Amino acid sequence: MSNYRSLLNTVEAALLEIEEGNGEAKTGEELRELINQFSQIPMLTVDTESIENIALEIESKHGIKAGLGAVVDGKNFEPWLDDAKASIEPFYWDRYKKLLLRNGLPKDVVTSTDRVTEKILGRLGNPLENKQWDRRGMVVGHVQSGKTANYTGLICKAADAGYRLIIVIAGIHNNLRDQTQKRIDEGFIGRDTGRLTTSSKSKATGSGFIGVGRVNPNNTPVSLTNTLKDFNKATASTNNSGMDAYKVPVVLVIKKNSSTLKNLIDWLQENNSRGDSKMVHQPMLLIDDEADNASINTKYSKSEVTKINSQIRDLLKTFHRCSYVGYTATPFANIFIDPDNEDEVLKEDLFPKDFIIGLDAPSNYFGPKKVFLDVGVSDDGEKESLYLREIHDNENFLPVKHKKNYSVEALPPSLLRALRVFLLARTIRNLRGQADQHCSMLVNSSRFTGIQGQIRNRLHEALDRIINAVRVNANNGEKSLDDFEMRELHKAWVSEYSSLRESWEEIQSTLLSSIASAKVVEVNSRANELDYEGIGDKGKTLIAVGGFSLSRGLTLEGLTTTWFLRNTQMYDTLMQMGRWFGYRNKYEDLCRIWMPEKAIGWYTYIASATIELHQELKSMESHKSTPNEFGLAVRSHPASLLVTARNKLGSGKKVVTSVGLSNKFTETARISSDPAHRAKNIVAAQTLISTLSSKPDGSWKSGYLYKDVSIKLIDDFLFEWENILINDQTDPVLVRKYLDARKESELSTWDVLISGKQNGYELSSVLGIPVYPVTRSISSEDLKDSIISIGGSKRRVSSKGIEKAGLDENLIKSVEEKYYFEYGSKDYPDHIYREVRKKPLFILHLINFESKGKSSIDLEELLQDMPVVAWSISLPESTPPGKKVEYVVNTTRYAELFGEEEPGDEDE
């Protein structure tokens, strides 16, 4: 194994030299020849199979692709960068680029980072242009997908172009600011700023170079902050009289904190401003990381602005020339800055009026789509996710809702199972040659620091028991399973990893050496024990227990296992809690995530909304729309109510928002379990079918397809449909208003599909025509509220590919070929069919259920021999504007739609 890793590292280093020298990429045959040549060296000798495995591993890494994203520009964009390139020496960018390649980032990803950051830089102000200017933009990435690497590249290019001051506003917690400072130290400064502060010896000897400093130690930027300390006005004032005296760029990484921002503004005005206007002449770039957190003005309803929002504005106004770039993966709040008045949206200073750029995640990104959406729903029922496990057993040990004085006496069995799976994953990763890499587990289950401390203690006790059992019994062969802890480890291996190539015998023999150093750490405002630094060749094995501090921005190295028990349903907060997203090269198959069934449902919904947002960006780019138009389009998304409701919760006033169903797919995944409601909906379905033509006039693989159906029949059905107030996207009143605005134009005629399986156990004629009902799982959780959740936590009714129905075969082939050419995947998402649809599609479903989860459901008693009807709608892109609908948003209505919002963490 050691020869294997050594040979792999040697070949990759050789390839890097070739790439840095602008050499041509190797063909598959040339790559294998190169590996074979190096394998002739005695210390690098491996067998023929290993040579092929190394070739495949390198090809896999270098085959990773990253798109260039979408760009939506304001109307006043004036290109300047191309003309300025001849005078720009790319010193800082070149050394950062070399660092990325040396760190193993695929060349194609580095190239796309180069091109995207150039796009962003070209939309900032020209630092060599002396007239007053300011630019406002936003970059939309994905959670844990590499936003920090992107804005570090942007900082390098901005410094090369002539920006003299760069300010990075990191998170609202010290640990996130410290982490961001380390990344800037490595990627831009090139020195360990904390070490420089504490060690006079390192200053004298010139040691302390890290990252880009090891690539080229010259022209080191000045940092007025370091990994140990945020901005300090007194310290900054003693360093020099002002920024004009520095011959290199000045950078600050500050916490998003009111006192820090005030001190920085005061220092700038006192030491660096010119003239009576108290404005700084040096061009400044402000990076607002996690721009949707604390930067947003949430007090617009009171004609006020939040303090931090106001201070960021004041900071920008301190400069004659400045560019503001907000980075976020959850930009909805930025777009919804003022949802009451569309005409006022551009008056908000931090609105990204000049540009919005969407970043495409590389193809190896382990993101929401892969975890929550890429599981599909077949005609035989819901497919299980490889990564997700549901928590059903916490209430008697640690309820989702608990007081701060709750006593945690024992841990839920699912958490103990997750701990064992994590230890097995660490062992398997070691067997795969990853012993030198960090491996982490995340436990996020309470907002109270006191509860987090108790959970840490209980996990520490459990970890001790397991390690002691392994120490005593792991060498006892088959007799080791006589021990309880060894037996539970084996059960966990059987259920999770027995299909992998690593055998139980291999795992058992290396368990102790793999997990002996594992420890449980607490990460919150009172204790930050998360530390990946240290001496030695082995990676750290850490179980991190925390709350809000683990919920936004903080990166857990090598995160493999997660146990997540949180209650918030705010999509930006929830998505940011997804620290398990990111890159899991060579151990993605080991990743497991435990969470409640409801949380899985919300993540699924949010993942879809986020994908739609990036699709909207690309659509806006092709139509040459402005950021303002994009903002208004996104604000018409049905999810907008989450933002408007949150900001006005308790006010009881009306919120006017648009019903945005253009290019949307919506379905009744949650319906009433009331027999009277279900009976009424069956009658509505029977009436619809009886008014259709006697014979289907289209073909579909299962069910019946009718074409050119009048919108009046769809409207009549929706009028009769009995709805429950849990999903405004399927509220018949709102949907009918949307359709009514287009009944004389693009929505006048429809395709209608009566969906069913091709075969089944029992043919049903309840709808008036023979149909094999589809089978779906049913959630036990929502039944308490008299709600049937179809498809369990995924809340999916339709099978994948159903939106092809009614489309011409040649058109289907064309869009699939286009998708495959762009993304290299044949896992075609349904939106590609919707985007070319000329007529809307209405789908009627007849459903049989199977119970899901550990709670027993008496289906016969629930259904009372009555089948369940549901419907879906696929709508083409619309040209008329959305018709306004009034929502009354108050505490009661908000709870009906989204449940109760979880308060912020105690340590927030």
Side-chain angles (χ1 to χ4, degrees):
M1 181 62 71
S2 60
N3 279 17
Y4 180 96
R5 304 309 303 179
S6 298
L7 178 57
L8 173 63
N9 293 336
T10 301
V11 174
E12 287 190 320
L15 290 172
L16 180 60
E17 285 188 17
I18 294 171
E19 290 174 354
E20 288 185 348
N22 295 320
E24 294 184 1
K26 295 288 185 183
T27 65
E29 185 177 341
E30 290 170 339
L31 172 61
R32 284 158 179 79
E33 178 59 31
L34 181 66
I35 298 169
N36 187 58
Q37 289 174 9
F38 278 111
S39 72
Q40 306 304 313
I41 300 172
M43 298 298 293
L44 301 179
T45 302
V46 296
D47 56 28
T48 304
E49 182 180 356
S50 295
I51 290 176
E52 179 60 22
N53 288 337
I54 289 173
L56 291 172
E57 191 166 334
I58 291 173
E59 286 175 336
S60 174
K61 180 186 291 188
H62 288 261
I64 294 166
K65 303 297 179 185
L68 297 179
V71 180
V72 176
D73 279 317
K75 292 181 178 178
N76 61 340
F77 173 53
E78 295 181 4
W80 60 270
L81 184 56
D82 286 345
D83 292 339
K85 278 184 178 180
S87 61
I88 296 175
E89 181 186 351
F91 172 80
Y92 293 109
W93 166 252
D94 277 353
R95 67 177 193 166
Y96 182 58
K97 176 182 176 181
K98 289 177 181 177
L99 176 67
L100 293 177
L101 290 170
R102 291 182 184 183
N103 286 344
L105 204 65
K107 186 177 181 181
D108 189 76
V109 176
V110 176
T111 300
S112 68
T113 301
D114 185 0
R115 295 174 67 185
V116 169
T117 50
E118 183 172 304
K119 277 187 180 183
I120 302 170
L121 177 65
R123 282 155 178 81
L124 306 184
N126 181 356
L128 301 183
E129 188 176 35
N130 285 320
K131 70 178 183 180
Q132 188 169 340
W133 46 259
D134 71 277
R135 301 283 292 174
R136 302 283 182 271
M138 182 170 68
V139 178
V140 183
H142 302 263
V143 176
Q144 295 284 89
S145 68
K147 295 189 302 298
T148 306
N150 183 278
Y151 69 66
T152 302
L154 176 62
I155 288 170
C156 291
K157 290 191 172 184
D160 288 328
Y163 276 85
R164 307 308 298 157
L165 177 64
I166 294 145
I167 301 172
V168 180
I169 305 180
I172 63 175
H173 289 287
N174 286 326
N175 50 22
L176 181 54
R177 192 213 71 85
D178 297 346
Q179 177 181 276
T180 304
Q181 179 78 58
K182 289 179 182 177
R183 299 285 296 276
I184 298 300
D185 283 1
E186 293 170 356
F188 179 53
I189 298 170
R191 304 289 289 271
D192 184 338
T193 54
R195 185 177 178 186
L196 289 173
T197 303
T198 58
S199 173
S200 59
K201 181 180 179 182
S202 66
K203 296 178 187 177
T205 61
S207 59
F209 287 115
I210 60 172
V212 292
R214 292 176 178 170
V215 176
N216 189 329
N218 297 319
N219 299 329
T220 302
V222 171
S223 178
L224 299 183
T225 57
N226 58 67
T227 52
L228 305 177
K229 197 172 185 180
D230 203 340
F231 176 79
N232 181 276
K233 180 182 174 183
T235 303
S237 298
T238 59
N239 280 348
N240 216 307
S241 57
M243 288 180 298
D244 287 342
Y246 293 111
K247 303 302 181 185
V248 291
V250 178
V251 61
L252 300 90
V253 180
I254 65 173
K255 187 168 63 173
K256 196 172 291 188
N257 174 274
S258 178
S259 298
T260 304
L261 284 164
K262 180 182 183 302
N263 287 332
L264 176 57
I265 293 169
D266 289 345
W267 176 76
L268 286 166
Q269 292 179 343
E270 291 169 9
N271 294 279
N272 300 281
S273 60
R274 294 180 179 179
D276 296 335
S277 62
K278 287 283 185 181
M279 293 182 74
V280 181
H281 181 68
Q282 296 279 17
M284 186 272 288
L285 169 61
L286 176 61
I287 302 290
D288 187 0
D289 195 9
E290 307 295 347
D292 61 306
N293 187 27
S295 300
I296 304 304
N297 176 19
T298 56
K299 294 186 178 179
Y300 48 78
S301 61
K302 301 175 184 177
S303 299
E304 300 174 1
V305 291
T306 53
K307 196 166 188 178
I308 288 176
N309 178 273
S310 175
Q311 288 175 318
I312 293 176
R313 294 193 206 182
D314 290 342
L315 176 59
L316 294 169
K317 291 173 184 175
T318 304
F319 291 83
H320 284 284
R321 299 175 293 165
C322 63
S323 292
Y324 168 91
V325 184
Y327 274 77
T328 181
T330 49
F332 301 92
N334 303 67
I335 299 299
F336 295 116
I337 282 171
D338 183 1
D340 284 340
N341 192 333
E342 293 180 356
D343 297 329
E344 295 294 316
V345 69
L346 288 177
K347 292 185 180 180
E348 169 56 54
D349 281 359
L350 297 187
F351 182 83
K353 59 185 176 60
D354 295 308
F355 65 88
I356 300 174
I357 293 181
L359 301 180
D360 283 346
S363 56
N364 64 331
Y365 175 54
F366 184 74
K369 180 177 181 293
K370 183 172 290 187
V371 176
F372 295 98
L373 297 178
D374 287 353
V375 291
V377 179
S378 68
D379 286 338
D380 296 323
E382 183 185 12
K383 295 179 181 178
E384 294 293 334
S385 166
L386 171 64
Y387 313 106
L388 294 173
R389 303 293 178 267
E390 292 181 6
I391 299 174
H392 295 286
D393 57 6
N394 62 288
E395 284 302 310
N396 293 331
F397 300 90
L398 181 64
V400 172
K401 295 181 180 180
H402 52 261
K403 303 293 186 182
K404 65 187 300 181
N405 59 353
Y406 185 82
S407 179
V408 182
E409 303 294 338
L411 299 177
S414 60
L415 179 50
L416 292 172
R417 168 60 69 91
L419 173 61
R420 295 182 181 106
V421 169
F422 169 68
L423 297 175
L424 291 170
R426 165 83 271 187
T427 306
I428 294 173
R429 291 190 62 190
N430 284 14
L431 288 169
R432 294 180 180 180
Q434 300 171 29
D436 59 336
Q437 299 176 23
H438 302 307
C439 189
S440 302
M441 176 177 176
L442 164 64
V443 178
N444 191 341
S445 56
S446 175
R447 67 187 182 93
F448 300 115
T449 55
I451 304 296
Q452 293 163 18
Q454 292 186 65
I455 296 170
R456 178 207 58 198
N457 292 341
R458 301 292 86 78
L459 278 168
H460 177 82
E461 294 160 2
L463 179 63
D464 268 358
R465 289 195 304 270
I466 294 171
I467 292 176
N468 288 334
V470 170
R471 191 183 304 277
V472 173
N473 298 286
N475 292 325
N476 292 341
E478 292 183 2
K479 290 185 178 180
S480 67
L481 299 185
D482 293 340
D483 175 78
F484 172 78
E485 292 295 349
M486 292 297 299
R487 193 160 58 249
E488 290 300 307
L489 282 168
H490 183 262
K491 286 180 182 177
W493 172 78
V494 169
S495 65
E496 299 293 343
Y497 300 140
S498 56
S499 62
L500 304 180
R501 67 177 184 269
E502 293 82 8
S503 68
W504 171 251
E505 290 72 25
E506 289 178 289
I507 293 170
Q508 184 172 310
S509 65
T510 55
L511 255 174
L512 183 59
S513 62
S514 300
I515 69 173
S517 62
K519 60 181 177 180
V520 186
V521 299
E522 189 175 341
V523 186
N524 51 40
S525 59
R526 72 175 189 180
N528 182 11
E529 302 168 333
L530 193 66
D531 182 14
Y532 293 104
E533 303 295 330
I535 301 173
D537 297 329
K538 293 186 67 174
K540 295 290 185 71
T541 304
L542 301 179
I543 298 117
V545 181
F548 189 82
S549 292
L550 288 175
S551 297
R552 180 179 280 272
L554 195 65
T555 298
L556 296 173
E557 301 288 347
L559 181 58
T560 307
T561 309
T562 299
W563 198 82
F564 180 84
L565 190 73
R566 298 304 295 271
N567 194 43
T568 182
Q569 294 174 349
M570 306 317 302
Y571 55 87
D572 49 359
T573 304
L574 198 63
M575 192 59 80
Q576 287 290 351
M577 286 181 173
R579 296 294 96 197
W580 50 83
F581 302 132
Y583 302 95
R584 303 289 179 258
N585 294 333
K586 292 177 270 188
Y587 65 95
E588 186 178 292
D589 58 335
L590 303 179
C591 294
R592 297 293 183 270
I593 305 165
W594 275 260
M595 62 173 55
E597 190 177 26
K598 273 191 174 181
I600 293 174
W602 274 101
Y603 267 110
T604 303
Y605 170 75
I606 296 163
S608 297
T610 305
I611 289 171
E612 286 177 0
L613 181 138
H614 281 272
Q615 291 168 356
E616 191 72 47
L617 263 174
K618 291 184 177 180
S619 174
M620 287 286 178
E621 179 185 39
S622 65
H623 289 100
K624 300 189 183 305
S625 301
T626 65
N628 184 31
E629 292 168 317
F630 173 71
L632 301 180
V634 174
R635 281 162 55 193
S636 70
H637 191 285
S640 65
L641 190 56
L642 284 125
V643 174
T644 56
R646 174 168 50 177
N647 287 340
K648 298 193 174 181
L649 185 60
S651 66
K653 66 179 292 185
K654 290 182 179 179
V655 176
V656 180
T657 188
S658 299
V659 181
L661 295 176
S662 171
N663 194 24
K664 294 291 188 296
F665 181 81
T666 184
E667 58 185 2
T668 52
R670 302 176 79 200
I671 60 177
S672 171
S673 64
D674 187 328
H677 291 169
R678 288 187 284 125
K680 182 180 178 183
N681 291 338
I682 287 175
V683 171
Q686 291 171 338
T687 303
L688 170 63
I689 292 173
S690 68
T691 56
L692 297 172
S693 58
S694 56
K695 290 184 179 181
D697 49 6
S699 61
W700 181 243
K701 61 183 179 182
S702 56
Y704 307 87
L705 180 65
Y706 301 83
K707 293 190 174 182
D708 299 321
V709 176
S710 169
I711 190 175
K712 183 180 184 307
L713 302 186
I714 309 300
D715 185 69
D716 290 345
F717 172 86
L718 293 173
F719 177 78
E720 296 296 334
W721 180 263
E722 189 67 44
N723 193 58
I724 46 178
L725 291 177
I726 53 175
N727 186 349
D728 280 15
Q729 292 185 70
T730 56
D731 185 336
V733 175
L734 305 183
V735 175
R736 289 180 66 220
K737 284 187 176 183
Y738 179 86
L739 303 184
D740 185 65
R742 297 157 179 80
K743 65 182 180 182
E744 303 295 338
S745 54
E746 73 252 40
L747 302 184
S748 60
T749 58
W750 292 57
D751 292 331
V752 174
L753 175 67
I754 312 301
S755 178
K757 293 200 297 185
Q758 290 179 303
N759 50 62
Y761 293 111
E762 186 175 347
L763 199 63
S764 173
S765 298
V766 69
L767 298 181
I769 55 176
V771 175
Y772 286 111
V774 296
T775 303
R776 296 287 178 261
S777 60
I778 184 171
S779 167
S780 59
E781 183 71 26
D782 290 331
L783 284 175
K784 303 168 188 173
D785 303 319
S786 301
I787 298 169
I788 295 176
S789 285
I790 303 172
S793 59
K794 293 293 183 297
R795 295 173 184 166
R796 282 296 307 268
V797 180
S798 301
S799 300
K800 195 167 187 177
I802 201 166
E803 291 185 75
K804 295 180 188 179
L807 296 181
D808 178 76
E809 287 295 328
N810 291 328
L811 183 58
I812 294 172
K813 183 180 179 182
S814 173
V815 297
E816 289 179 347
E817 287 176 348
K818 180 181 177 183
Y819 184 84
Y820 181 75
F821 177 79
E822 185 172 355
Y823 297 100
S825 170
K826 292 188 177 181
D827 183 21
Y828 304 118
D830 272 69
H831 73 81
I832 66 173
Y833 310 115
R834 191 184 323 137
E835 288 165 359
V836 296
R837 180 173 289 285
K838 300 301 181 185
K839 286 189 297 183
L841 172 67
F842 182 86
I843 309 164
L844 197 63
H845 307 269
L846 189 63
I847 302 169
N848 278 338
F849 288 122
E850 59 182 8
S851 61
K852 185 173 183 286
K854 294 186 177 180
S855 301
S856 59
I857 304 173
D858 190 335
L859 291 175
E860 290 186 9
E861 181 180 344
L862 170 69
L863 300 176
Q864 298 179 0
D865 295 325
M866 185 188 302
V868 170
V869 170
W871 56 266
S872 310
I873 290 180
S874 174
L875 291 167
E877 187 170 347
S878 179
T879 47
K883 194 166 185 177
K884 291 291 186 179
V885 179
E886 288 188 348
Y887 295 94
V888 178
V889 178
N890 55 28
T891 307
T892 303
R893 172 63 169 156
Y894 185 86
E896 286 175 348
L897 288 166
F898 308 113
E900 297 178 15
E901 181 182 2
E902 180 182 307
D905 279 17
E906 180 187 49
D907 59 3
E908 184 172 353

Coordinates of all heavy atoms in Angstrom, one line a residue, residues 44 162 261 401 589 608 671 680:
L44 N 9.2 2.2 -5.7 CA 7.9 2.5 -6.3 C 7.3 1.3 -7.0 O 6.3 1.4 -7.7 CB 8.0 3.7 -7.2 CG 8.6 5.0 -6.6 CD1 8.6 6.0 -7.7 CD2 7.7 5.5 -5.5
G162 N -4.6 46.4 -9.0 CA -4.3 47.7 -8.4 C -5.1 48.0 -7.2 O -5.0 49.1 -6.7
L261 N -16.7 46.7 13.2 CA -17.0 47.6 12.0 C -16.8 49.1 12.4 O -16.3 49.9 11.7 CB -18.4 47.3 11.5 CG -18.5 46.0 10.7 CD1 -19.9 45.6 10.5 CD2 -17.8 46.2 9.3
K401 N -37.6 19.3 20.6 CA -37.9 20.5 21.4 C -37.6 20.2 22.9 O -38.2 19.3 23.4 CB -39.3 21.0 21.3 CG -39.7 21.4 19.9 CD -41.2 21.9 19.8 CE -41.5 22.3 18.4 NZ -43.0 22.8 18.3
D589 N -18.6 7.0 -0.7 CA -19.5 5.9 -0.4 C -19.6 5.5 1.0 O -20.5 4.8 1.5 CB -19.0 4.6 -1.2 CG -17.5 4.3 -0.8 OD1 -16.8 5.2 -0.4 OD2 -17.1 3.1 -1.0
S608 N -34.4 21.5 -4.3 CA -35.1 21.8 -5.5 C -35.2 23.3 -5.8 O -35.0 23.8 -6.9 CB -36.5 21.2 -5.5 OG -36.5 19.8 -5.4
I671 N -51.5 15.6 1.4 CA -53.0 15.7 1.3 C -53.6 15.4 2.6 O -53.0 14.8 3.5 CB -53.5 14.8 0.2 CG1 -53.2 13.3 0.5 CG2 -52.9 15.2 -1.2 CD1 -53.8 12.4 -0.5
K680 N -64.3 13.3 -1.8 CA -64.6 14.4 -2.7 C -63.6 14.6 -3.8 O -64.0 14.8 -5.0 CB -64.7 15.7 -1.8 CG -65.0 17.0 -2.7 CD -65.1 18.2 -1.8 CE -65.4 19.4 -2.7 NZ -65.3 20.7 -1.9

